[in-house]
Amino acid sequence: MQVGTQALRPNVFAKHLVARSHSTKKNRRTILAALSLTSMVDMFSLLVIFLLQTFSTSPELLVMTKGVQLPVASSGAEITDAPILAIAQDEIFLDQKSVGTVVDVLKDPKGLLAQLQVFRENWSKAHPNEKFKGEINLQAHKDVPSTVISQIMGVLPSQQYGSIQLIVTSGGS
Amino acid sequence: MASANIGGGSSGRRKSLDAEINLVPFIDLLSMCICFLLMTAVWVQLGSVQVKQANGTEGAAEAKDTLDLDVKFLAENQVTLSVKSKGRVVKTYQVQGATMADLATAFEKQVQDIQAQMKSQGEISAVMLTPKAGVSYGSMISIMDVLRKNRLVNLGVVPVNPLSGG
């Protein structure tokens, strides 16, 4: 932006405004508002430092399932990439797809086991020279009865999913 | 605009060096940084508690010099701790608290006492948790969290039929 032939810089602009006010209407008082940029830059810098400190380079591996409120634990380890079995208060999901109600799956877990088998076979096809690790992420609502979780966990090893990672929210003392 | 007057006041001939820093691109850069960092920020930190579930004969008992710990829920805020050596119960403790937080505190103290007492007989290698109907998953995680904090990371959960009442 240009004022006359000079580039617009705050002190040049301020001088220009003062000069204009003197030349045009001498009776009217000039209200000259100067924007202090220092405090704004300070605030921006602090924000950037804070956000850089909290910045995480690890990718988000988990998609939170609707209706699942995770329990809190302070000793949570890092999450690895694995299929996500989510247990809401009345429904079970495998990688965001509904498997059935909790009651139905507990009565007859064949549907869940068949889907787990598909996941395992796909993994084996994708990693032909590797041994199946049997890892699965279990996201469960914190108010679900522990017996329901134990029952679900009990059927997982039959499809060679023996390493179960219970997903928690990091925090607490 | 930020400016710095560097000398040149005394001599009339000398030209003053009035350096000005243009803050506009700096503010632009900071704004872009803030936008990027806000968009990529992860506000909910997730972690995992690893549990090993044995399949059939995988968990076959073998004579070993280490101890095992059985944690059995009796109620939401009451548990029994059994120390096992070679499959036999050596000692049993009962821990309870008015709330889940009290139980976790008392449980942690008891686990630390057991670790100190049983140091001569070997380290606790595995912990099996037995849930009970009426005990929430959140409570089970609280107990697991205490165990993990005390370096007991080899955890397992006994499958209990929810309809049997534990």
Side-chain angles (χ1 to χ4, degrees):
Chain A
M1 194 175 167
Q2 298 266 317
V3 177
T5 54
Q6 285 182 299
L8 182 60
R9 290 178 299 182
N11 46 0
V12 175
F13 187 57
K15 280 177 195 167
H16 162 76
L17 283 177
V18 173
R20 208 179 81 171
S21 69
H22 285 306
S23 64
T24 52
K25 291 174 184 173
K26 285 183 182 171
N27 294 339
R28 196 183 289 175
R29 261 180 92 183
T30 311
I31 301 166
L32 182 64
L35 180 69
S36 173
L37 291 180
T38 316
S39 49
M40 192 172 83
V41 172
D42 286 354
M43 191 194 71
F44 273 23
S45 308
L46 283 174
L47 256 174
V48 168
I49 291 164
F50 166 74
L51 290 168
L52 278 173
Q53 276 184 332
T54 57
F55 187 71
S56 167
T57 48
S58 59
E60 273 296 275
L61 296 168
L62 291 185
V63 180
M64 291 300 296
T65 309
K66 214 175 177 183
V68 175
Q69 202 180 338
L70 296 174
V72 180
S74 59
S75 62
E78 205 172 307
I79 301 167
T80 53
D81 194 12
I84 303 161
L85 182 65
I87 306 172
Q89 277 183 314
D90 50 1
E91 204 167 357
I92 296 178
F93 302 87
L94 184 61
D95 265 7
Q96 304 292 307
K97 286 177 190 163
S98 176
V99 179
T101 61
V102 172
V103 178
D104 291 344
V105 173
L106 286 178
K107 267 185 197 167
D108 184 16
K110 280 177 194 165
L112 171 66
L113 294 177
Q115 287 189 40
L116 285 170
Q117 190 180 354
V118 172
F119 271 92
R120 183 162 54 85
E121 285 168 359
N122 288 343
W123 191 94
S124 299
K125 279 177 195 167
H127 306 84
N129 300 322
E130 287 179 48
K131 196 187 170 195
F132 182 62
K133 291 175 189 166
E135 287 178 338
I136 189 163
N137 290 325
L138 199 143
Q139 274 183 349
H141 193 282
K142 62 178 184 174
D143 294 333
V144 170
S146 54
T147 46
V148 169
I149 306 295
S150 74
Q151 275 289 94
I152 301 288
M153 284 167 72
V155 299
L156 296 176
S158 64
Q159 281 302 329
Q160 298 173 29
Y161 289 93
S163 180
I164 303 162
Q165 298 181 78
L166 306 174
I167 306 302
V168 292
T169 307
S170 298
S173 57
Chain B
M1 197 71 53
S3 65
N5 196 347
I6 310 162
S10 58
S11 172
R13 286 180 183 177
R14 203 179 286 173
K15 207 175 177 184
S16 71
L17 291 170
D18 194 7
E20 287 199 358
I21 306 162
N22 190 3
L23 285 180
V24 177
F26 184 57
I27 292 167
D28 286 353
L29 182 76
L30 282 177
S31 312
M32 290 313 292
C33 266
I34 289 168
C35 291
F36 168 76
L37 290 167
L38 278 174
M39 281 193 286
T40 57
V42 179
W43 300 110
V44 182
Q45 295 289 334
L46 299 178
S48 70
V49 175
Q50 195 156 16
V51 176
K52 294 269 183 200
Q53 290 293 93
N55 184 16
T57 54
E58 273 179 28
E62 55 182 63
K64 50 187 179 180
D65 292 332
T66 52
L67 301 168
D68 292 335
L69 195 64
D70 271 6
V71 180
K72 194 173 181 182
F73 274 96
L74 301 177
E76 182 82 28
N77 50 5
Q78 192 178 5
V79 293
T80 304
L81 275 148
S82 304
V83 184
K84 284 182 173 178
S85 176
K86 293 175 184 173
R88 288 186 180 179
V89 177
V90 180
K91 267 189 176 177
T92 303
Y93 307 87
Q94 205 160 352
V95 184
Q96 58 184 347
T99 60
M100 191 55 226
D102 290 344
L103 174 67
T105 310
F107 182 78
E108 184 162 20
K109 195 176 176 300
Q110 190 63 67
V111 168
Q112 286 166 353
D113 286 351
I114 290 170
Q115 282 177 321
Q117 283 170 22
M118 300 288 172
K119 213 172 184 178
S120 58
Q121 295 180 39
E123 285 198 358
I124 297 167
S125 64
V127 183
M128 286 302 287
L129 278 103
T130 309
K132 187 177 170 67
V135 176
S136 68
Y137 170 62
S139 304
M140 195 169 81
I141 288 290
S142 299
I143 292 297
M144 283 180 171
D145 192 28
V146 171
L147 291 166
R148 280 177 63 86
K149 276 195 275 186
N150 288 282
R151 302 181 309 280
L152 301 172
V153 290
N154 194 4
L155 308 175
V157 177
V158 177
V160 174
N161 190 344
L163 305 172
S164 72

